[in-house]
Amino acid sequence: MNTKTTFFFLLASILNFTNQYGQTVSARILDSISKEPVPFATIQFAENSGVISNSEGMFSVILNAPKVATDSLIISCMGYKTYKTLLKQFKDSVVHLSPQNITLKNVVVTNKNYSAEELIDLVKDNMDKNYNTSLTQKRLFFRDHYHQYINRTNYSDFESTIEAFDKKFVDNLLNSVPKSSDYYTETLADLYGDFTKDKQKISVIKASKMYDKNKELDFEILEKKLEKILHDNVKPDSYLKVKSGIFGTKIDNDELFGNQIDSTDVDALNKKLEEEKKRKENEKLYFANGRKRRISNLLEDLFFMDDSNLNFISKSRKYDFAIQELTYLGNDVVYVVNFKPDGGADYKGTLYINADDFAIMRVDYENVKSLKTFKLLGVFMNEYLDKGKMIFYKDAKGKYNLRYLEKEHGGMAGAKRPLKIIEFNKVVKGKNRQNELSLKFDAAATNINKYEIVIYDTQDIDNSKFDGLKEDNTIIPTYLANYDPEFWKGHTIIEPNKAIKAFTATEEITE
């Protein structure tokens, strides 16, 4: 779908009501003065229910239940006046928010002028009572974007005793590896439990995966050709010795090619088919459990969790804090506090602290140095990227719940080493050494994961309900060769950005 078609689809969605999907409310949020997009604004349409505008200020929500004339749509963002209107009157494709800033000099929030360090101490003192860590049912949307690009794949001093495995074939093999690839997974689910991975259950409602299959197919063709070359040239009772510098390992023939099945062996074929059937049946469970583990890891790293890597609160003495200004989030007055390392700490960022109850309502953070590095004997790793944000809202009980989480994590790894692969065979008469391949390689790749979670409905549950829940996940992700706005029709998600909308495979393949 092109940009023009997408625009008319969104416009039609704003004005349309259907019995199947209810009312679709979509718009873009802009700063009334600069006309720039307002990202990560909170759009609330029912108690404990809401969504977040994306990085381009876009949002779209589905209101499934019949709405009455008094129901409202409320849009709020740090530093802006709250926008409020009746749902039945909302027909705008663009919402302009007006800035609303206040200064420390003009407003007396309390009867004491706190220092930044005193504010952080008050945050700590009120942490347990401010955040809801009890059992809940959370309706959430999880977007996982994996991006990889190859920095370099160089080699030299190539030698091979296998005629078919020549330099031209190696060049073709390396050229077939995608220099850049993207893999998107989107999941709508109900998550039950608290913020610890040991007490969580998931029910997947719908999911999609989007990537370019053709890039994988090109590489698979060469992989099969490589396997055939080795199969034709490596003797059945041989083994391979792989050496890189002073290190070496032995690979038996069956490890290299797997257990080859004779097409006339009916029992072996039936066993293989049964294993494939079981693998497909387990795929549904693997997907759901994989999503649950990934979400659990992200939730366990919330700044108020005991073992969080984000230690700017738990180890605040390692950081310098400075109050920058006061601003509004809705009707709440909020301290804007910047932090940076005092010595060897890892992060810098901004905290938005409620002046009334000292809850952190939002945090933006990024690392200031590599979190992990490794370099030894030509092998290296650099975990250089870790940044994100968390946004919370207060429920009717005065507890803060997570509304939005974003995290971007990346690293680069590679090696610059000699490599030698030697075929040995003790059965063949004469010399044990049969074939040999050697080269010096210099390869590196960068991997970046970006995660987004929006929780747009949170309800408390008790232990009996949690214990009685049985995970029965039968959903596997639907493959999409390109972005399809119809796929999520009828569901509230965080709007995709331009990069997602523009993604398309080389050639669409369906499965």
Side-chain angles (χ1 to χ4, degrees):
M1 178 176 288
N2 60 34
T3 305
K4 184 176 180 181
T5 308
T6 303
F7 171 78
F8 284 114
F9 169 77
L10 289 173
L11 187 60
S13 297
I14 294 171
L15 302 176
N16 254 343
F17 291 82
T18 66
N19 291 329
Q20 182 178 3
Y21 297 116
Q23 182 185 1
T24 302
V25 176
S26 302
R28 191 178 192 197
I29 305 172
L30 301 178
D31 185 297
S32 63
I33 297 175
S34 68
K35 308 304 180 186
E36 292 294 319
V38 178
F40 312 115
T42 299
I43 298 90
Q44 190 165 342
F45 47 88
E47 184 178 342
N48 293 343
S49 298
V51 73
I52 298 288
S53 64
N54 69 6
S55 58
E56 296 158 359
M58 296 290 297
F59 76 90
S60 182
V61 297
I62 306 297
L63 306 173
N64 291 310
K67 311 307 293 180
V68 297
T70 57
D71 285 336
S72 298
L73 180 75
I74 302 172
I75 302 175
S76 59
C77 188
M78 206 74 66
Y80 290 92
K81 295 179 181 178
T82 298
Y83 174 95
K84 184 175 181 180
T85 187
L86 293 177
L87 278 171
K88 69 173 186 175
Q89 296 176 350
F90 185 79
K91 292 181 172 60
D92 298 318
S93 59
V94 176
V95 175
H96 291 96
L97 294 187
S98 301
Q100 184 183 26
N101 292 320
I102 55 178
T103 64
L104 285 170
K105 295 180 180 179
N106 297 332
V107 175
V108 177
V109 180
T110 68
N111 58 1
K112 183 175 180 180
N113 292 321
Y114 294 111
S115 67
E117 288 71 23
E118 288 173 324
L119 273 178
I120 299 305
D121 288 339
L122 287 166
V123 167
K124 289 182 180 181
D125 292 342
N126 290 274
M127 193 92 77
D128 291 339
K129 73 175 184 179
N130 273 334
Y131 296 95
N132 184 7
T133 57
S134 61
L135 294 175
T136 60
Q137 175 184 345
K138 308 176 189 70
R139 174 64 60 89
L140 61 82
F141 178 77
F142 177 36
R143 178 176 290 135
D144 181 351
H145 175 205
Y146 173 75
H147 175 68
Q148 180 187 67
Y149 59 91
I150 306 298
N151 299 85
R152 59 182 181 272
T153 52
N154 303 322
Y155 71 96
S156 61
D157 301 340
F158 176 82
E159 294 182 8
S160 172
T161 61
I162 300 176
E163 185 175 345
F165 197 69
D166 58 8
K167 188 175 186 300
K168 182 179 179 181
F169 179 80
V170 175
D171 288 338
N172 288 336
L173 184 67
L174 293 177
N175 288 333
S176 70
V177 178
K179 297 299 183 288
S180 177
S181 58
D182 293 274
Y183 197 112
Y184 296 92
T185 307
E186 297 185 332
T187 309
L188 182 69
D190 284 325
L191 186 71
Y192 303 86
D194 52 27
F195 287 121
T196 60
K197 64 180 66 178
D198 295 331
K199 198 159 187 177
Q200 288 188 357
K201 298 179 181 181
I202 196 169
S203 176
V204 176
I205 299 168
K206 195 171 186 178
S208 69
K209 55 183 179 180
M210 188 168 65
Y211 61 97
D212 192 342
K213 281 188 177 180
N214 295 279
K215 290 182 178 180
E216 293 189 354
L217 289 175
D218 291 342
F219 188 57
E220 286 174 5
I221 291 171
L222 272 174
E223 275 189 313
K224 290 178 180 178
K225 188 176 179 180
L226 172 61
E227 184 175 332
K228 185 178 186 307
I229 290 173
L230 293 175
H231 190 271
D232 292 344
N233 288 274
V234 176
K235 295 175 176 59
D237 46 8
S238 290
Y239 67 90
L240 299 182
K241 187 70 176 290
V242 181
K243 297 185 66 178
S244 182
I246 62 174
F247 301 100
T249 186
K250 177 182 176 182
I251 302 177
D252 292 326
N253 196 289
D254 58 349
E255 291 182 74
L256 183 63
F257 303 114
N259 296 319
Q260 304 295 317
I261 296 178
D262 185 349
S263 61
T264 62
D265 189 338
V266 177
D267 290 338
L269 284 172
N270 287 335
K271 183 179 179 181
K272 186 74 173 178
L273 290 172
E274 187 63 30
E275 289 175 353
E276 180 65 14
K277 181 181 177 181
K278 185 176 181 181
R279 184 193 68 79
K280 289 183 177 180
E281 290 174 350
N282 288 336
E283 185 179 358
K284 298 174 182 178
L285 182 61
Y286 293 154
F287 175 75
N289 284 339
R291 295 296 87 188
K292 181 172 65 175
R293 284 195 301 271
R294 188 63 57 84
I295 295 170
S296 298
N297 289 336
L298 292 169
L299 295 182
E300 281 201 327
D301 213 24
L302 294 172
F303 66 87
F304 53 81
M305 298 296 288
D306 291 338
D307 296 324
S308 174
N309 293 314
L310 304 176
N311 60 3
F312 37 80
I313 297 299
S314 61
K315 296 182 179 179
S316 59
R317 302 308 176 198
K318 292 186 175 183
Y319 292 87
D320 282 331
F321 297 88
I323 300 174
Q324 298 301 305
E325 62 174 334
L326 287 172
T327 188
Y328 282 107
L329 177 58
N331 295 322
D332 293 319
V333 177
V334 177
Y335 285 99
V336 180
V337 179
N338 289 348
F339 64 91
K340 62 181 181 179
D342 179 11
D346 296 325
Y347 297 96
K348 69 176 181 179
T350 304
L351 306 172
Y352 300 85
I353 304 171
N354 190 304
D356 182 43
D357 54 25
F358 306 105
I360 295 176
M361 305 177 72
R362 171 173 168 171
V363 56
D364 301 338
Y365 67 90
E366 62 179 298
N367 61 307
V368 296
K369 63 179 183 179
S370 294
L371 300 181
K372 293 180 182 177
T373 58
F374 173 85
K375 190 174 183 179
L376 181 66
L377 299 175
V379 179
F380 76 93
M381 181 274 292
N382 182 12
E383 191 176 317
Y384 69 90
L385 177 64
D386 188 34
K387 67 178 182 178
K389 62 175 76 308
M390 304 169 192
I391 299 174
F392 300 85
Y393 74 95
K394 186 190 291 189
D395 62 22
K397 297 179 180 179
K399 291 283 188 178
Y400 285 85
N401 297 269
L402 180 66
R403 175 70 77 201
Y404 177 76
L405 181 148
E406 177 184 288
K407 182 180 179 69
E408 194 169 359
H409 191 87
M412 181 179 177
K416 187 175 182 179
R417 296 182 57 80
L419 177 67
K420 186 175 289 188
I421 303 174
I422 309 168
E423 177 192 0
F424 288 96
N425 192 303
K426 294 182 179 179
V427 178
V428 178
K429 293 183 179 180
K431 62 178 183 179
N432 289 340
R433 183 175 297 202
Q434 301 296 304
N435 286 298
E436 183 173 329
L437 163 70
S438 64
L439 55 83
K440 292 180 181 179
F441 68 93
D442 179 12
T446 296
N447 302 301
I448 299 175
N449 280 94
K450 183 174 181 180
Y451 309 105
E452 288 183 283
I453 297 176
V454 58
I455 301 174
Y456 51 86
D457 187 58
T458 300
Q459 302 294 332
D460 290 331
I461 59 174
D462 55 26
N463 277 291
S464 61
K465 181 174 182 178
F466 178 83
D467 294 338
L469 288 168
K470 293 184 178 180
E471 292 178 304
D472 182 22
N473 291 293
T474 59
I475 302 296
I476 58 175
T478 300
Y479 173 72
L480 302 175
N482 47 52
Y483 169 68
D484 180 7
E486 293 293 311
F487 182 81
W488 290 107
K489 188 174 181 180
H491 299 284
T492 298
I493 66 171
I494 185 168
E495 277 289 287
N497 58 27
K498 291 179 181 178
I500 298 174
K501 291 180 180 180
F503 179 88
T504 182
T506 309
E507 180 182 344
E508 184 172 347
I509 302 176
T510 57
E511 62 177 16

